[in-house]
Amino acid sequence: MKMSKLFVQTLREFPSDAEVVSHKFLVKAGYIRKLTSGVYNYLPLMWKVLKKVENIVREEMDRAGAQELLMPFVQPKELWEESGRWEVYGRELMRLKDRHDREMCLGPTHEEIITAIARDGLKSYKQLPVNLYQIQSKFRDEVRPRFGLLRGREFIMKDAYSFSTSQEDLEKEYDNMARAYKRIFDRCGLPTKMVQSDSGAIGGSVSHEFMVITDTDAGENDVFYCDDCDYAANSNHAVSNLPPAKTDGAEFGMNEYKVVDTPDMKTIDDICAFLSIDPTVVCKSLVYIADKEPVIALIRGDKQVEETKLMNAAGAIDIRIATAEEIEELMMKNGFDAKAGFIGPMGMNNVKIIADNTVKELKNFVIGANENDKHKVGVNWDMLPEVKFVDIRLTEAGELCPQCGKPLKVTRGIEVGNIFQLGTKYSKPMNAVYMDVDGKAKPYIMGCYGIGISRTAAAAVEAHYDDWGIKWPISIAPYHAIVVPVSCNDELQMKVANEVYEKLLAAGIEVVIDDRDERPGVKFKDADLIGFPFRITVGKSIQNGNVEFVIRETGSKEEMTPDKAVEYVISHVREALQNN
Ligand code: ATP
Ligand code: MG
């Protein structure tokens, strides 16, 4: 490819709406252009990268025994009603009507469609297990599309779905997919961590995410991990053990139950300072709205609630903190008049209360009195409505690893893929069954496995860049190399550059020759910005028989003969593309 013909417009500046590196560079280097919020054109360079990621995914999924198909992007409401998701899937689901007023949606994911396909074609245990996948654009009307391709509204995903006859077979396929995922991300030049993650309100199910670890804003997930063992989990699922703490109010002289004045003391810090106690003897009460219903979450004063855990414990699919008005209404319903800061579980008989494990141990503790400017001290569980104790606590760094007891660390991660044991979540309600050995109809035991193709490409930029631009891993770079004649008017330089270019092409290397009559500085800048893994510069030293060979990843520069440079590129590329 000639640079003069390559469809690419690099920009001088970063786009003003870009906050993270991948978004900045992919726009500046001419890979993508925004069409509308969260929707991008993938220009030729980007499309080459995406196809390479897709092909790695495809090869590894095929190698793992999965079969590719392609489902429609537009889906009918009826199937979503069968699964029960039409009602509960929130506003991320882009709903529309056709000319006959039939309701449809743009596919955000394809569980319903694939389950219907399976139900139609997989009738006997003899046909199972099966794993079917597709690579396709998805649409989700994300609340906050941002970070370019990392969180778009339209994006490309690989989604796979497995159908088995037993939990044991599902687990086998799950492990098979985990291995395939590791190979995929390794081949894309992306180190990932496989971490435990939340799998929604369905009890007993298992899921893991593949995270690209980063210390930048692009990492939207907190990942807790242990250096001493293999424990790693998304914050929405991470658990920890706590070091011992003072949890009996008697240690602070609060052995007697009474109501005390706490004028204007709305925060835990205020109350602790005022009463000279540790927050570990305070039982904090927080009001949330779970699927429109209020719930009260109880947790020890020094700890925070993890909202996904609370949502699951409430059996809800949506959770948010209650407004002042909603709190007022809830208190009235229970016969009280108190604002946030003075709420407690005593006498709250008309609301679901979910208590964190941390409050179970408390004795002679402090709660809000359900009366403004007052708290109750010396409280014990026998005075309170019965509650269920569960884990709704946000893990914090420094707390102890649940597996080995060493302090946990925290970092941030970009989720590039996930694997999920669904069980019969879709097959049961959709009556998707096969005939088992015993002649009985049984629902498939399903798994689903996603990879964000466009997010993976962007994550690769987050993991490989410098001040000048992108440093693509060879396996997914749009082109492997660029040949840069310093002066297009110099006959010898042009001749050698063309020879080098032809030799690389003949060896199957994807190469660009920068034939533009531009200053060398401009050419080098563009080469670095676009991120060609190798650059062969043909300049003045060709008079001594040498070219300059530059490796983008390390920045190393070396003078050598054109033939040696050609050989280097070929051998490096071949080595990088090996995939055994
Ligand atoms: P997230 O928590 O980041 O919203 P998710 O759990 O909703 O992800 P899945 O529904 O499991 O994601 O989708 C599978 C994969 O698709 C994710 O692992 C991610 O790589 C990718 N993905 C999900 N949402 C987006 C998006 N808005 N833009 C780009 N890629 C996405
Ligand atoms: Mg999402």
Side-chain angles (χ1 to χ4, degrees):
M1 173 59 71
K2 290 187 169 148
M3 194 69 172
S4 60
K5 291 280 179 280
L6 184 65
F7 185 88
V8 59
Q9 285 81 40
T10 56
L11 307 179
R12 272 165 196 263
E13 306 289 338
F14 288 132
S16 58
D17 63 341
E19 299 163 78
V20 298
V21 167
S22 59
H23 188 189
K24 288 179 178 172
F25 279 135
L26 289 176
V27 174
K28 189 175 182 200
Y31 284 80
I32 56 172
R33 288 290 181 265
K34 183 157 97 180
L35 181 59
T36 181
S37 167
V39 179
Y40 288 85
N41 288 305
Y42 309 122
L43 301 181
L45 285 177
M46 192 71 229
W47 188 235
K48 276 177 82 73
V49 174
L50 292 171
K51 279 191 293 184
K52 289 189 180 188
V53 176
E54 277 188 21
N55 279 334
I56 290 173
V57 170
R58 189 171 276 126
E59 280 176 25
E60 294 301 332
M61 289 302 289
D62 290 348
R63 189 202 297 259
Q67 299 173 58
E68 187 172 3
L69 46 57
L70 184 60
M71 292 176 267
F73 176 52
V74 175
Q75 309 183 3
K77 171 187 176 184
E78 288 70 27
L79 284 178
W80 285 73
E81 284 180 327
E82 281 191 43
S83 72
R85 284 210 293 183
W86 187 259
E87 289 304 321
V88 297
Y89 211 106
R91 298 183 63 190
E92 262 182 35
L93 187 65
M94 186 82 163
R95 299 159 207 250
L96 50 133
K97 279 188 185 163
D98 70 9
R99 60 165 75 194
H100 305 293
D101 259 359
R102 285 186 291 236
E103 290 187 272
M104 337 268 268
C105 64
L106 301 183
T109 172
H110 278 69
E111 281 82 3
E112 282 76 6
I113 316 304
I114 199 82
T115 305
I117 290 175
R119 152 174 97 179
D120 218 33
L122 298 171
K123 308 232 180 207
S124 159
Y125 71 94
K126 290 182 195 146
Q127 296 168 280
L128 302 171
V130 166
N131 189 336
L132 301 170
Y133 77 97
Q134 65 173 346
I135 298 175
Q136 183 202 43
S137 287
K138 299 282 191 253
F139 195 95
R140 294 182 184 176
D141 202 355
E142 298 272 355
V143 218
R144 282 188 74 197
R146 55 183 186 157
F147 300 164
L149 299 191
L150 286 176
R151 184 169 296 282
R153 293 199 297 161
E154 185 178 304
F155 57 96
I156 305 175
M157 198 205 286
K158 183 282 296 180
D159 44 327
Y161 307 87
S162 70
F163 301 86
S164 305
T165 57
S166 66
Q167 175 65 22
E168 196 188 342
D169 276 5
L170 166 61
E171 283 169 24
K172 258 192 223 153
E173 188 55 17
Y174 190 78
D175 293 343
N176 182 34
M177 283 294 108
R179 282 191 299 274
Y181 273 35
K182 180 162 183 350
R183 292 181 55 90
I184 287 168
F185 296 120
D186 283 353
R187 282 183 62 187
C188 290
L190 263 185
T192 52
K193 220 181 192 27
M194 176 168 152
V195 316
Q196 299 175 15
S197 74
D198 167 57
S199 46
I202 13 170
S205 57
V206 171
S207 81
H208 286 85
E209 292 165 340
F210 286 75
M211 295 279 188
V212 174
I213 299 305
T214 166
D215 51 7
T216 69
D217 287 344
E220 293 185 283
N221 302 272
D222 280 337
V223 175
F224 289 90
Y225 66 97
C226 179
D227 272 340
D228 289 87
C229 72
D230 64 358
Y231 184 76
N234 189 318
S235 58
N236 63 23
H237 193 76
V239 293
S240 62
N241 294 324
L242 297 177
K246 292 182 181 170
T247 54
D248 185 348
E251 295 191 55
F252 302 94
M254 295 192 310
N255 5 24
E256 197 188 320
Y257 171 70
K258 59 182 173 195
V259 179
V260 295
D261 285 328
T262 48
D264 251 348
M265 311 267 154
K266 289 201 193 90
T267 69
I268 300 287
D269 283 352
D270 291 345
I271 291 154
C272 290
F274 187 71
L275 299 175
S276 304
I277 54 171
D278 285 356
T280 50
V281 293
V282 179
C283 172
K284 194 158 60 167
S285 304
L286 301 156
V287 184
Y288 285 87
I289 305 294
D291 289 354
K292 303 191 175 117
E293 284 299 311
V295 294
I296 292 187
L298 303 181
I299 192 159
R300 206 170 79 185
D302 59 329
K303 297 294 161 195
Q304 308 301 324
V305 168
E306 209 299 313
E307 293 191 356
T308 305
K309 289 184 182 178
L310 175 64
M311 179 174 86
N312 291 340
I317 57 157
D318 185 53
I319 193 101
R320 62 176 173 80
I321 200 96
T323 62
E325 292 75 47
E326 286 163 336
I327 293 177
E328 194 181 342
E329 195 180 313
L330 172 71
M331 297 313 285
M332 262 167 53
K333 201 167 137 199
N334 284 273
F336 298 114
D337 173 20
K339 292 199 178 69
F342 302 99
I343 293 166
M346 200 180 287
M348 294 294 283
N349 298 316
N350 292 314
V351 62
K352 187 188 255 179
I353 299 180
I354 296 174
D356 183 65
N357 290 328
T358 48
V359 293
K360 191 173 174 183
E361 319 286 277
L362 301 188
K363 292 198 179 78
N364 302 303
F365 52 99
V366 178
I367 58 174
N370 292 335
E371 196 178 328
N372 287 327
D373 300 330
K374 292 196 192 315
H375 277 79
K376 291 178 171 169
V377 305
V379 175
N380 283 293
W381 283 109
D382 55 10
M383 308 172 185
L384 300 175
E386 202 168 306
V387 293
K388 198 169 77 173
F389 297 98
V390 291
D391 173 46
I392 52 167
R393 174 169 59 86
L394 178 69
T395 295
E396 285 170 49
E399 293 170 357
L400 310 176
C401 173
Q403 282 181 183
C404 76
K406 296 280 162 39
L408 288 176
K409 292 186 172 167
V410 68
T411 181
R412 283 198 271 179
I414 303 169
E415 179 201 322
V416 284
N418 63 24
I419 55 178
F420 206 115
Q421 294 185 15
L422 290 171
T424 56
K425 185 177 177 199
Y426 296 92
S427 50
K428 247 201 191 138
M430 294 184 67
N431 195 28
V433 296
Y434 65 96
M435 206 54 79
D436 206 354
V437 193
D438 57 10
K440 287 192 183 133
K442 295 180 187 164
Y444 313 111
I445 315 285
M446 290 172 57
C448 72
Y449 317 90
I451 289 182
I453 302 285
S454 42
R455 186 184 282 180
T456 297
V461 178
E462 296 290 335
H464 304 279
Y465 70 95
D466 63 11
D467 288 350
W468 308 109
I470 304 171
K471 299 177 170 184
W472 288 112
I474 296 167
S475 59
I476 60 171
Y479 288 91
H480 303 129
I482 184 165
V483 181
V484 183
V486 168
S487 162
C488 290
N489 305 321
D490 184 304
E491 242 174 70
L492 180 60
Q493 285 184 23
M494 279 315 282
K495 181 172 162 283
V496 175
N498 274 314
E499 282 167 9
V500 166
Y501 173 67
E502 294 295 339
K503 281 183 188 162
L504 288 173
L505 272 186
I509 301 298
E510 293 173 272
V511 56
V512 170
I513 182 164
D514 197 343
D515 58 335
R516 297 174 303 169
D517 192 10
E518 287 280 2
R519 283 180 294 118
V522 172
K523 295 183 176 185
F524 297 155
K525 239 184 168 162
D526 280 347
D528 282 350
L529 178 62
I530 292 170
F532 298 91
F534 302 107
R535 185 175 91 210
I536 297 173
T537 305
V538 188
K540 279 201 185 112
S541 49
I542 194 59
Q543 283 159 0
N544 312 321
N546 279 335
V547 297
E548 188 185 53
F549 176 66
V550 184
I551 301 178
R552 179 76 181 93
E553 176 66 30
T554 58
S556 93
K557 285 184 187 161
E558 218 183 307
E559 295 254 314
M560 58 180 72
T561 62
D563 280 347
K564 188 146 181 240
V566 167
E567 223 174 85
Y568 259 38
V569 172
I570 295 172
S571 64
H572 274 98
V573 170
R574 290 208 173 133
E575 193 190 346
L577 297 187
Q578 261 175 8
N579 58 35
N580 302 314

